[in-house]
């Protein structure tokens, strides 16, 4: 079960968004990034999906983590590359379902990684979500961590700081957790509520989870 906006996914929206140098999107790390970095347990690197303007990927790289950051928007990746000053941070433009080659290359010599995706699941359709989880399930080493944060159904009616003119798929938290488990992950931590992703006057209702590749 999910509630979906009537507008379609638009590459043009994100191209225009990241072209606007004063779009208002913050460049400091998100609340979720601050939470996640304290939970990275013995990982050899971090893979971020939907890196956007690089606010969280830059934070991880600044703290010394080897990084692969991915986004479907060419403009977003160009922006991240222009800001990047770390040799251990790599930015690539591709969809999550087509990221197998990039992930395989990044995983060489690594025993365990953290995969991070904030406000990503609700920004893709169900088919792309299936491809995303399938790629992770088939490629991630056992014990790797998955960090997800996404808007849930009760957030649909709330006013948004960045408007409602682009695609969002509001997710049912428990069903989403079940889908993640069905892809071969065990849920180590989960929560749903407000106060986790507050930005200016918007206090989004979100789901969060930390999942581990493989069964306990």
């Amino acid at each position: 079960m999910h509630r979906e906006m009537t507008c379609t996914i638009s590459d043009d929206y994100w191209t225009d968004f990241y072209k606007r140098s004063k779009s208002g999107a913050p460049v400091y790390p998100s609340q979720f990034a601050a939470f996640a970095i304290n939970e990275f347990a013995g990982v050899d690197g971090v893979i971020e999906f939907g890196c956007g303007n690089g606010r969280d990927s830059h934070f991880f790289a600044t703290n010394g983590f080897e990084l692969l950051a991915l986004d479907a928007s060419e403009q977003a990746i160009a922006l991240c590359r222009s800001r990047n000053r770390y040799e251990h941070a790599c930015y690539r433009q591709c969809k999550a379902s087509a990221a197998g080659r990039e992930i395989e290359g990044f995983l060489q010599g690594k025993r365990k990684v953290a995969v991070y995706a904030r406000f990503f699941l609700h920004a893709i359709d169900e088919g792309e979500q299936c491809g995303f989880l399938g790629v992770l399930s088939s490629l991630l080493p056992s014990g790797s961590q998955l960090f997800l944060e996404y808007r849930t159904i009760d957030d649909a009616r709330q006013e948004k700081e960045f408007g409602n003119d682009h695609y969002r798929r509001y997710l049912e938290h428990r069903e989403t957790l079940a889908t993640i488990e069905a892809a071969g992950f065990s849920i180590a931590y989960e929560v749903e509520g407000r106060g986790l992703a507050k930005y200016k006057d918007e206090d989004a209702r979100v789901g969060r989870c930390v999942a581990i590749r493989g069964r306990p």
Side-chain angles (χ1 to χ4, degrees):
M1 176 182 178
H2 65 268
R3 179 173 177 175
E4 187 168 327
M5 289 186 62
T6 56
C7 57
T8 58
I9 300 175
S10 171
D11 291 338
D12 290 340
Y13 172 87
W14 294 112
T15 296
D16 292 341
F17 183 85
Y18 291 117
K19 277 183 178 178
R20 299 195 298 268
S21 61
K22 295 183 180 180
S23 63
V27 294
Y28 48 80
S30 68
Q31 290 173 254
F32 189 44
F35 162 81
I37 200 169
N38 285 289
E39 300 295 324
F40 292 165
V43 299
D44 300 315
V46 178
I47 304 172
E48 180 179 6
F49 286 85
C51 63
N53 70 354
R55 60 183 297 198
D56 290 345
S57 57
H58 178 77
F59 174 61
F60 299 144
T62 297
N63 281 276
F65 289 97
E66 188 174 346
L67 174 80
L68 172 64
L70 307 168
D71 200 287
S73 168
E74 185 177 351
Q75 190 67 37
I77 293 300
L79 177 61
C80 289
R81 287 174 174 168
S82 72
R83 294 173 172 174
N84 181 40
R85 63 177 187 268
Y86 297 108
E87 291 185 0
H88 59 272
C90 178
Y91 292 89
R92 293 284 185 266
Q93 186 263 325
C94 69
K95 288 190 174 182
S97 58
R101 183 176 298 178
E102 300 290 350
I103 294 172
E104 285 180 318
F106 184 75
L107 289 176
Q108 292 298 314
K110 295 181 175 62
R111 300 165 300 158
K112 175 178 161 182
V113 297
V115 173
Y116 175 90
R118 176 188 177 271
F119 278 31
F120 175 72
L121 279 191
H122 69 247
I124 59 177
D125 62 27
E126 287 188 75
E128 183 67 6
Q129 175 181 292
C130 182
F132 165 67
L133 291 174
V135 165
L136 298 184
S137 180
S138 64
L139 295 180
L140 291 185
S142 180
S144 292
Q145 298 173 290
L146 175 60
F147 293 80
L148 297 172
E149 184 176 79
Y150 44 84
R151 294 182 186 270
T152 54
I153 288 175
D154 288 343
D155 189 61
R157 290 192 174 90
Q158 180 166 312
E159 290 295 321
K160 308 297 191 296
E161 285 289 335
F162 291 106
N164 288 312
D165 56 349
H166 61 284
Y167 181 91
R168 291 190 183 99
R169 186 170 58 102
Y170 297 93
L171 305 177
E172 203 288 315
H173 181 54
R174 293 294 164 187
E175 288 184 9
T176 302
L177 296 178
T179 298
I180 294 165
E181 288 183 312
F185 292 83
S186 58
I187 305 298
Y189 167 85
E190 58 83 13
V191 66
E192 180 184 11
R194 300 193 188 276
L196 301 171
K198 191 176 184 307
Y199 177 64
K200 295 184 178 180
D201 292 331
E202 181 185 352
D203 188 3
R205 185 173 180 86
V206 301
R208 275 185 184 180
C209 77
V210 181
I212 310 298
R213 176 71 183 95
R215 303 300 181 188

